[in-house]
Structure formats: C-alpha cells, structure tokens
Amino acid sequence: MSRPYNFSAGPAMLPEPVLRQAQEEMLDWNGSGMCVAEMSHRGKEFMSIAEQAERDLRELLALPEGYRVLFLQGGASSQFAMVPMNLSGRTGKADYLNTGSWSKKAIAEAHRFCAVHVAASTQPERFVRAPTQAELALSEEAAYLHYTPNETIEGVEFPYIPETSAPLVADMSSTLLSRPIDVARYGMIYAGAQKNIGPAGLTIVVVREDLLGEPLSGTPTMFDYRVHADSGSMYNTPPTYAWYLAGLVFQWLKDLGGLEGMGEINRRKAEKLYAAIDGSSFYANPVEPASRSWMNVPFTLANPELDADFLAGAKDAGLLTLKGHRSVGGMRASIYNAMPEAGVDALIAFMAEFERTKG
Ligand code: PMP
C-alpha cells in the first residue's frame, strides 16, 4: 500500500528508502547487535557512522578546503543567537536582510548581542519578493551579512547570492541540499535538519575556519562554535540517531545523482505546481515570479470559505498537511527533496478536480 503524500513544512517527509533501511537496521545495525540509538557516541560503530555522514555531506556540497562541519542541536533558532555570539565580536555590528518571518526572528535575537543594521526590508510589501542587490544598503563595518535564502512561511526565495565584502551568513533551513550551492561564497551556512536533511533535533552548521575567532564574553560553552569544532561535535552527547538518519539521506541523495540531479527534480516539481496555480483563476500565489520558492508554495483559494472543504478533500485523497502557516492562512505545499514528483502531480490533479466541482 502506498503512503500518503505529506506536504508539511517540517518535520517533513523522509525518503521512503531511508525509512525502510532504518527499519531493517533498527534492532541490529551492521551486525553490532545494537540499534544506532543505543550506541555510545564515542564507540567505533557510531564514530564510523558519524564520519561517513560528514564525508558524504562534504562530497554533496563539494565543500572547499577550510570549512568545518558541525552536527549540533537546538535547531536553527539557537543559531539566531549563536551567530551573533560567535561572529559579531570583530566590530560589534552586523547587517541583516528582513525578508520574512524567519529573518525577523533572527534579527530580533541578534539585537540582544550586537548593533543590527537592517540593510533591506520587504516588510512594507508584505514580503512578496526578495530585494534586489541594488537595494541592499550594506554598512561598512558589518562583521557579517545575515540573510534567509528561502523564507519557509512566505514562500519567498532569493534568486541570487548577495554580494558583500563582509562574510555572508545564511539560514538555509529550508533550502540546503535542494540543489547545488556555491559554498565558497559563504562564511557560514546553517540549517535545522527537519526539511531536507533528516529528523528534527539535528542542526547542521558549515563555517569557514577563519571565522572561528573569539565569541563574545559570557558565551555559554555549548554556544561556542570553537568548542564544537575542536571536539568533532562531540563536546556533549550529539543527536546520534538524527545524525545517522541524515547520513542515510546523504547516501540516498548521492544515489540520485547528488544535488544536480535533485535540483532538476525540484525545479520541475515547483514549475508545474506554479503553472497550475497561475493557470487557474481559482488559486493564487502572491509572490513575484522571480522570487518564488522551489520548496514552499503558499496559495489561496478564491473563496476562503472553501478552505476547510479543500483540506478535508485533500486528506481523503492522501494529501496531508496542506494548511498554510497560521500567520498567513490559506494553503502551503512544502515540496522538499523527499516529496516525489508523483506527489506534486497528485496535488495538481486534486486541485483541478476541486476547482471543477466547487469553484
Ligand atoms: N529558519 C527557517 C528558514 C525555518 O524554516 C525554520 C523552521 N521552520 C527555522 C529557522 C526555525 O528552525 P528550528 O525550529 O529548527 O529552530
């Protein structure tokens, strides 16, 4: 029996082959007699899993020399604090781009630790587009520029990488691994795992070694990147099972042809869903076409009184979790890596049928 398609924005679908492999290995990983969740994080079995996962992630990202990969906890939300605590000390100032709900949260947190300069904000336009490079009013002394390449709630994505002389820091929670990225353009990248990477509880940080300087005084040990970098992310007990599942996802991605192959599939999925929305007067997406997210597709129905009917009918058709974020309403289809193209086709077919019968 096939499973339903789950359009949750995260925790999100995991690839079925990954879940099956985890199921097979649940009671006995590789002849060890242990479930991975039962292993000492310092034992040779888990160390081999951890090292393989990091190697595979480095290969997928084509990571240049000089970057450290950290497997942390605390979600992207902890990074909202860890970034200024670790990276703002050089000048005490940082530039931020305000492009949606998640960058707003990052900005609010950064205010606790450094002088924040908002170099661009699309809030007056209700976050329907990414600002252009020409609109970025970058400051001279910023220790870094922080931005959110994909805003998960508004479905807004930057179609370019901002140019800046300061190190570029990106919250890639809902975009990392969805296509190739030019890591060399970034000083630091972070992502909560629960969208494209694995289960919640794991946070990936990729940081350029020369940025691992002095954190602000008073920074707790667990919030100090150097501590985690120096201990191979094993200063304390890491999220071992999530790390293992992420490793299985990395292998699944490599088998699919890496991020090039994944990016092609994701582009196709997004294009056909937006085409279906734009081709109908019953559904609408407010985002300017050039800034539309490949990962999170919000849409509204012409008659919001039909929202509950739409969601109930979708659920019956095996299409789950399409309700939009409570702050914006309407619908949202998150179509991360693990969402098969057939799931997007099924959603498009359901939308057409709903419009035909109810529209
Ligand atoms: N940033 C972005 C872009 C996100 O989508 C999310 C989660 N939806 C977060 C940050 C917060 O992540 P976490 O819940 O892992 O703290």
Side-chain angles (χ1 to χ4, degrees):
M1 212 187 77
S2 73
R3 304 168 75 228
Y5 297 112
N6 173 9
F7 293 87
S8 166
M13 283 183 87
L14 286 163
E16 195 167 314
V18 165
L19 294 177
R20 290 199 184 283
Q21 186 171 345
Q23 183 180 39
E24 261 167 42
E25 296 175 343
M26 182 61 75
L27 296 185
D28 178 9
W29 181 82
N30 206 18
S32 67
M34 290 181 277
C35 172
V36 176
E38 300 172 309
M39 290 175 182
S40 161
H41 56 298
R42 302 191 196 282
K44 70 174 180 357
E45 292 89 355
F46 186 75
M47 288 301 282
S48 75
I49 291 170
E51 283 163 12
Q52 185 65 46
E54 177 168 341
R55 267 198 304 278
D56 287 340
L57 180 60
R58 283 178 178 274
E59 187 182 324
L60 283 167
L61 292 173
L63 211 61
E65 288 289 302
Y67 284 84
R68 302 299 285 265
V69 178
L70 311 179
F71 291 79
L72 306 181
Q73 305 182 55
S77 300
S78 294
Q79 295 309 311
F80 294 166
M82 285 175 81
V83 166
M85 283 175 140
N86 285 272
L87 305 186
S88 71
R90 193 169 53 80
T91 64
K93 296 177 182 162
D95 282 351
Y96 276 73
L97 306 185
N98 181 25
T99 57
S101 305
W102 289 111
S103 44
K104 259 175 94 83
K105 286 209 163 139
I107 289 167
E109 194 70 0
H111 273 295
R112 300 157 69 98
F113 304 103
C114 63
V116 173
H117 168 68
V118 176
S121 174
T122 51
Q123 189 161 2
E125 297 156 72
R126 309 182 83 201
F127 299 131
V128 291
R129 66 181 183 91
T132 63
Q133 175 73 41
E135 289 175 297
L136 310 185
L138 303 175
S139 55
E140 294 273 299
E141 327 84 79
Y144 60 86
L145 167 64
H146 178 283
Y147 84 119
T148 312
N150 186 81
E151 289 280 1
T152 318
I153 293 176
E154 288 78 9
V156 168
E157 190 170 293
F158 275 74
Y160 68 98
I161 301 177
E163 293 278 353
T164 156
S165 53
L168 187 57
V169 176
D171 173 1
M172 290 211 182
S173 293
S174 49
T175 182
L176 190 63
L177 301 185
S178 66
R179 79 206 76 178
I181 48 166
D182 186 359
V183 182
R185 299 277 300 275
Y186 295 89
M188 191 195 140
I189 286 165
Y190 64 91
Q194 63 272 22
K195 294 138 190 320
N196 275 329
I197 298 170
L202 169 69
T203 312
I204 302 278
V205 166
V206 177
V207 57
R208 220 171 57 206
E209 262 158 28
D210 62 285
L211 297 178
L212 294 172
E214 274 299 307
L216 301 181
S217 77
T219 294
T221 311
M222 276 295 287
F223 272 34
D224 183 339
Y225 291 140
R226 292 174 315 177
V227 168
H228 295 293
D230 289 348
S231 61
S233 305
M234 302 242 181
Y235 168 73
N236 75 325
T237 314
T240 49
Y241 199 75
W243 192 331
Y244 152 73
L245 278 186
L248 297 185
V249 171
F250 301 153
Q251 279 172 21
W252 173 77
L253 275 169
K254 281 175 58 177
D255 291 345
L256 271 181
L259 301 189
E260 290 280 349
M262 198 68 248
E264 266 312 296
I265 297 169
N266 285 331
R267 187 179 53 72
R268 253 197 338 260
K269 278 160 35 183
E271 275 176 2
K272 58 166 87 163
L273 186 49
Y274 286 114
I277 292 168
D278 290 345
S280 136
S281 52
F282 185 74
Y283 300 105
N285 168 283
V287 180
E288 285 191 3
S291 302
R292 283 175 167 176
S293 168
W294 286 11
M295 295 283 107
N296 312 97
V297 183
F299 60 94
T300 51
L301 275 51
N303 177 3
E305 282 172 11
L306 292 174
D307 282 6
D309 260 13
F310 181 91
L311 289 165
K315 189 167 177 224
D316 287 344
L319 308 167
L320 309 182
T321 335
L322 282 160
K323 197 171 165 50
H325 191 271
R326 59 191 180 282
S327 63
V328 294
M331 308 296 152
R332 174 175 53 173
S334 293
I335 49 175
Y336 297 118
N337 286 353
M339 171 60 66
E341 197 164 349
V344 175
D345 293 339
L347 173 60
I348 292 169
F350 171 76
M351 288 167 72
E353 181 59 16
F354 187 85
E355 179 178 358
R356 197 181 63 75
T357 54
K358 304 274 173 80

